Amino acid sequence: MNFLADNLAPIMFLSLIVVLLIGYPVAFALAFVGFVFGFIGIEMGLLPLNLFQAIPDRIFGQMSNETLLAIPFFTFMGLILERSGMAEKLLDTVGQLFGPVRGGIAFAVILVGALLAATTGVVAASVISMGLISLPIMLRYGYDRRVAAGTIAASGTLAQIIPPSLVLIILADQLGRSVGDMYKGALVPGLMLVGAYAAYVAITAIVSPQKVPALPPEARTLRGWKLAGRVLTSLVPPLVLIFLVLGTIFFGIATPTEGGAMGAVGALILAAMNGRLTMDLLRQSLYSTARLSAFVLFILLGARVFSLTFYGVNGHVWVEHLMTSIPGGVLGFLIVANLLVFFLAFFLDYFELAFIIIPLLAPVAEAMGIDLIWFGVMLAINMQTSFMHPPFGFSLYFLRSVAPTRAYRDKVTGVTIQPVTSGQIYMGAIPFLVIQLAMVVLVLAFPQLVTHYKSGAAAVDPATIQLNVPMPGAVNPYGAAPAPSFGAPAGPAPTFAPPAPPSFGAPQQ
């Protein structure tokens, strides 16, 4: 019993990992472990009897959190755009634009992946859309299956790091920081990832041009003014929507929740302009949005129950002592934290990592003086690898669900196309996984890639603040400023005659 009392926090954390590995849903696993160990702590006298009376307040606090309203708004916006045909038009237009270049379709997939990330913010929607539209074209014109699969899977994961990412919203909430600052900090690393993906395709086109051939002339159906008109009608509306959503947030005109609401309205307008806005589309999008939002909220409520008990048994103190005892100080802590997130990403998705691991690491990082926006963006890039880990990466699963599993006859060329194997998808993901890890190292080595978000804020040095409160009759130590008069009238000071002393009833003579 003494051993259990002294080590209740690590036993609780290990029990959570065991319950998750058994296969129970994350939200219920978190709440179950929190309640069980809470009752154990109460029975052992380690926790107060009224511990769980705080749960209603915690639930109400989360339900009234306006920051989390951005999640359904951005999810709804992404689903409307994905199902209204915008991704199809973008891929077709950009593919025609880059068609004459070796690797042109791969460049188009990366560019459209970045645009979809900046408008939808949903990884599954991006991967499935590009897998359905661009993968058959790549296979038709002789792209290497590993390069094609890796490019599509990695480009879809950009929706996790490029604003308006749902992960960044949750991380900002868990770290207690502004969503707008998180968006500003993640923008440069996200764009650098886009450039790194494109550089990999360019190097492949130079070293092995047969793996990423250019489109043949007969496949380029748009030329001249017709292509220019398609570019204007397909690219300009999404760019306007991106500025409407992200521009207003970055310039401080709108909050992330308000930006998400404007984005949802803009998505409805674009769907109506494309003639795709129907009641069936609205019904499906609203259903999927409600399901994802409830999924996130239930995980968050389960995490609140778990954290209530975990903090009650001084679990945060145990984690802080464990992390601060790592050799190397701040650098050692950052390396171990990133390694922990990287290996847990093999088994947990980004929502689970954000709700379980981040609340344990954030207090330690803040105690060490680490900028939490920089810390959050670094871990967001690291958690992005959870989509690309063979064999558990969700992005690979999404692509597997739409990639051909048997040979088929192409409708355009009439050639029999061989299927894409799971091994080819996994092998194609590895180079992009290495690129993502390299970006984590870059952000760790050059914090200014993220901390530039502070450049517009007014810097105030607390050491320069002076409180000047002069007192009556005291010498002013801050200069020769006249002492305050406190309303004394101008002119000579008035004189007062002293009153006659009282007689107190003395007898008369």
Side-chain angles (χ1 to χ4, degrees):
M1 294 298 290
N2 291 334
F3 175 81
L4 182 63
D6 294 337
N7 299 277
L8 196 60
I11 294 173
M12 182 179 177
F13 185 74
L14 292 175
S15 301
L16 174 63
I17 295 176
V18 171
V19 174
L20 289 174
L21 291 177
I22 291 174
Y24 283 97
V26 179
F28 302 127
L30 286 166
F32 170 75
V33 174
F35 278 124
V36 167
F37 279 86
F39 286 122
I40 292 174
I42 291 173
E43 287 297 323
M44 297 179 65
L46 301 175
L47 298 173
L49 291 174
N50 59 353
L51 172 72
F52 293 120
Q53 291 182 6
I55 289 180
D57 288 337
R58 288 190 157 219
I59 293 176
F60 181 78
Q62 290 305 314
M63 299 298 289
S64 59
N65 187 351
E66 294 186 0
T67 302
L68 298 179
L69 276 175
I71 294 177
F73 282 138
F74 284 125
T75 304
F76 180 75
M77 179 183 74
L79 291 171
I80 289 290
L81 292 175
E82 182 257 330
R83 297 177 181 182
S84 63
M86 188 195 76
E88 183 177 353
K89 289 181 64 177
L90 273 175
L91 276 170
D92 181 50
T93 303
V94 181
Q96 293 286 328
L97 190 63
F98 288 96
V101 183
R102 289 175 183 170
I105 304 178
F107 288 128
V109 167
I110 293 171
L111 179 59
V112 172
L115 290 174
L116 290 178
T119 50
T120 65
V122 181
V123 174
S126 299
V127 174
I128 292 174
S129 298
M130 293 189 294
L132 288 171
I133 300 166
S134 62
L135 185 58
I137 301 174
M138 290 176 147
L139 298 179
R140 178 184 303 156
Y141 296 112
Y143 266 69
D144 183 85
R145 281 165 169 72
R146 290 172 296 182
V147 176
T151 303
I152 293 173
S155 300
T157 63
L158 292 171
Q160 179 165 343
I161 191 62
I162 293 181
S165 165
L166 301 183
V167 179
L168 296 178
I169 298 174
I170 294 172
L171 282 176
D173 178 69
Q174 295 297 302
L175 294 171
R177 292 297 182 267
S178 164
V179 177
D181 288 343
M182 190 70 75
Y183 280 178
K184 292 177 186 177
L187 186 60
V188 172
L191 295 178
M192 289 179 66
L193 267 179
V194 176
Y197 292 168
Y200 170 72
V201 173
I203 293 172
T204 303
I206 295 172
V207 176
S208 302
Q210 73 279 2
K211 292 184 177 181
V212 285
L215 280 179
E218 62 271 14
R220 291 178 243 148
T221 58
L222 296 177
R223 292 183 176 86
W225 288 107
K226 190 175 181 181
L227 178 59
R230 175 67 74 84
V231 169
L232 287 176
T233 57
S234 299
L235 283 179
V236 171
L239 292 176
V240 171
L241 185 62
I242 291 171
F243 176 77
L244 178 68
V245 175
L246 298 183
T248 53
I249 295 174
F250 287 167
F251 292 122
I253 301 174
T255 65
T257 302
E258 294 166 347
M262 288 190 294
V265 174
L268 292 173
I269 294 173
L270 288 183
M273 291 171 58
N274 290 333
R276 302 287 187 92
L277 186 60
T278 61
M279 287 302 299
D280 187 54
L281 173 67
L282 281 175
R283 189 181 302 109
Q284 293 178 5
S285 300
L286 287 171
Y287 174 77
S288 299
T289 300
R291 186 172 60 180
L292 178 63
S293 302
F295 165 74
V296 173
L297 194 59
F298 266 95
I299 293 181
L300 183 56
L301 295 181
R304 288 300 182 188
V305 176
F306 177 84
S307 64
L308 176 65
T309 304
F310 193 72
Y311 278 65
V313 297
N314 291 325
H316 58 296
V317 177
W318 168 70
V319 173
E320 184 172 351
H321 289 170
L322 184 67
M323 288 297 180
T324 53
S325 62
I326 295 171
V330 173
L331 181 60
F333 164 73
L334 292 173
I335 292 174
V336 170
N338 278 286
L339 288 175
L340 176 66
V341 170
F342 177 75
F343 284 110
L344 287 178
F346 277 96
F347 312 103
L348 305 176
D349 69 8
Y350 58 98
F351 280 129
E352 296 161 1
L353 289 170
F355 288 130
I356 299 173
I357 303 302
I358 301 304
L360 301 180
L361 298 178
V364 184
E366 190 170 20
M368 289 184 168
I370 297 173
D371 185 280
L372 290 186
I373 297 292
W374 172 55
F375 185 67
V377 171
M378 186 192 313
L379 293 187
I381 301 172
N382 197 336
M383 285 191 289
Q384 190 181 5
T385 62
S386 67
F387 286 94
M388 299 293 289
H389 278 313
F392 303 110
F394 287 93
S395 185
L396 308 182
Y397 285 156
F398 298 146
L399 183 59
R400 175 71 277 173
S401 67
V402 297
T405 57
R406 63 184 67 182
Y408 68 96
R409 183 176 294 275
D410 186 69
K411 296 179 181 179
V412 176
T413 62
V415 178
T416 300
I417 305 294
Q418 296 301 316
V420 178
T421 66
S422 297
Q424 290 169 340
I425 295 176
Y426 294 155
M427 293 301 295
I430 291 176
F432 293 94
L433 183 63
V434 173
I435 291 174
Q436 291 172 348
L437 293 177
M439 183 55 60
V440 175
V441 175
L442 280 176
V443 171
L444 177 61
F446 302 100
Q448 58 270 26
L449 293 175
V450 176
T451 55
H452 66 85
Y453 78 92
K454 300 179 180 178
S455 59
V460 178
D461 184 5
T464 63
I465 299 176
Q466 295 181 351
L467 298 178
N468 184 358
V469 184
M471 299 299 293
V475 178
N476 188 355
Y478 299 103
S485 63
F486 298 102
T495 57
F496 299 95
S503 63
F504 297 105
Q508 295 180 357
Q509 298 292 334

